[in-house]
């Protein structure tokens, strides 16, 4: 990577923070990402918060481990988020509401930077990822029905291409490829890993004025 990933609570002018703000100010637009043809006839609109935590030792990303009994994506690692409700008004409103409901993130500590490309999952969800900066300290309150655990891998690890792996598995009789980023004893994969790869591309892909 051509940029140094320096971003912490005490380094608000860090290189990565500057790069994030510059990219979103530039209005970089990328096409939606599709895993493959969805298994549902109609797409379910959803939004997730991509919460970058400004830790003193360096930025982390807050991820959730979903409980095993859920109907959709049970037991998987996800961003805080969920289905869009008519009362939300925008994907940003959905992401903030779901983050508050699932893990107790306080909206007053969240600075929304912008959106990543929409992500179409094979299970029929159309997800809008909302990238945001979160200022500690966090006072998390987990929804025991939806969230089994939360953890914070370093953002530098997640954005490093060396950690972006392509794996395969069979789904409904079809072998499919997907992104994975194993970290310690956690297996980050599927749409969550795919959106992190999308964040990497958003940050580090050359734009016409940079060539």
């Amino acid at each position: 990577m051509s940029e140094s990933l320096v971003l912490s609570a005490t380094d608000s002018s860090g290189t990565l923070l500057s790069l994030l703000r510059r990219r979103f100010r530039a209005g970089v637009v990328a096409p939606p990402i599709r895993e493959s043809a969805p298994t549902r006839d109609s797409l379910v609109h959803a939004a997730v918060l991509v919460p970058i935590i400004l830790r003193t030792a360096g930025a982390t990303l807050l991820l959730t481990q979903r409980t095993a009994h859920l109907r959709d994506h049970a037991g998987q690692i996800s961003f805080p988020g969920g289905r869009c409700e008519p009362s939300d008004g925008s994907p940003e409103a959905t992401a903030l509401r779901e983050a508050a409901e699932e893990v107790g993130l306080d909206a007053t500590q969240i600075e929304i930077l912008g959106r990543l490309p929409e992500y179409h999952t094979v299970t029929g969800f159309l997800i809008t990822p909302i990238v945001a900066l979160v200022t500690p300290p966090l006072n998390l309150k987990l929804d025991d029905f939806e969230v089994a655990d939360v953890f914070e891998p370093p953002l530098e690890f997640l954005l490093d291409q060396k950690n972006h792996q392509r794996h395969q598995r069979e789904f409904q009789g079809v072998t499919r490829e997907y992104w994975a980023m194993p970290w310690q004893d956690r297996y980050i994969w599927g749409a969550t890993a795919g959106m992190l790869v999308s964040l990497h591309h958003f940050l580090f892909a050359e734009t016409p004025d940079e060539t």
Side-chain angles (χ1 to χ4, degrees), residues 32-48 66 72-73 76-79 82-83 117-129 171-172 176-178 189-195:
I33 298 170
R34 292 177 173 82
E35 290 180 347
S36 60
T39 56
R40 292 174 174 168
D41 293 334
S42 59
L43 292 172
V44 177
H45 289 261
V48 297
R66 292 168 64 82
D72 295 314
H73 310 120
Q76 293 184 16
I77 290 169
S78 303
F79 298 112
R83 301 177 186 224
E118 293 176 326
Y119 196 94
H120 296 232
T121 72
V122 68
T123 52
F125 285 85
L126 175 59
I127 304 172
T128 302
F171 180 73
Q172 297 186 342
R176 305 183 188 275
E177 287 194 347
Y178 59 91
W189 70 284
T192 301
M195 285 183 272

Side-chain angles (χ1 to χ4, degrees), residues 78-210:
S78 303
F79 298 112
R83 301 177 186 224
C84 296
E85 301 293 343
S87 58
D88 288 334
S90 69
E92 287 80 4
T94 298
L96 290 175
R97 174 181 58 77
E98 287 283 346
E101 292 175 358
E102 288 186 5
V103 298
L105 274 181
D106 187 341
T108 64
Q109 296 175 269
I110 299 172
E111 178 191 353
I112 291 178
L113 296 180
R115 303 180 184 182
L116 292 177
E118 293 176 326
Y119 196 94
H120 296 232
T121 72
V122 68
T123 52
F125 285 85
L126 175 59
I127 304 172
T128 302
I130 308 298
V131 180
L133 304 178
V134 182
T135 302
L138 305 183
N139 182 25
L140 300 182
K141 298 178 181 178
L142 306 189
D143 179 344
D144 293 338
F145 180 79
E146 292 192 31
V147 180
D149 195 12
V150 295
F151 63 102
E152 295 181 36
L155 186 63
E156 183 173 1
F157 174 91
L158 298 172
L159 291 182
D160 192 334
Q161 280 185 302
K162 296 193 300 291
N163 301 318
H164 299 174
Q165 304 175 9
R166 290 294 277 174
H167 292 184
Q168 291 184 337
R169 70 179 300 177
E170 187 173 302
F171 180 73
Q172 297 186 342
V174 179
T175 300
R176 305 183 188 275
E177 287 194 347
Y178 59 91
W179 289 107
M181 300 175 190
W183 179 73
Q184 296 185 356
D185 60 343
R186 310 282 186 168
Y187 188 59
I188 305 165
W189 70 284
T192 301
M195 285 183 272
L196 287 169
V197 171
S198 177
L199 177 60
H200 171 90
H201 290 164
F202 174 82
L203 287 172
F204 299 109
E206 288 187 344
T207 58
D209 61 346
E210 294 173 332

Side-chain angles (χ1 to χ4, degrees), residues 7 51-55 58-62 151-156 158:
L7 179 60
I52 298 171
I53 313 300
L54 300 176
R55 296 293 184 188
T60 63
L61 196 75
L62 181 69
F151 63 102
E152 295 181 36
L155 186 63
E156 183 173 1
L158 298 172

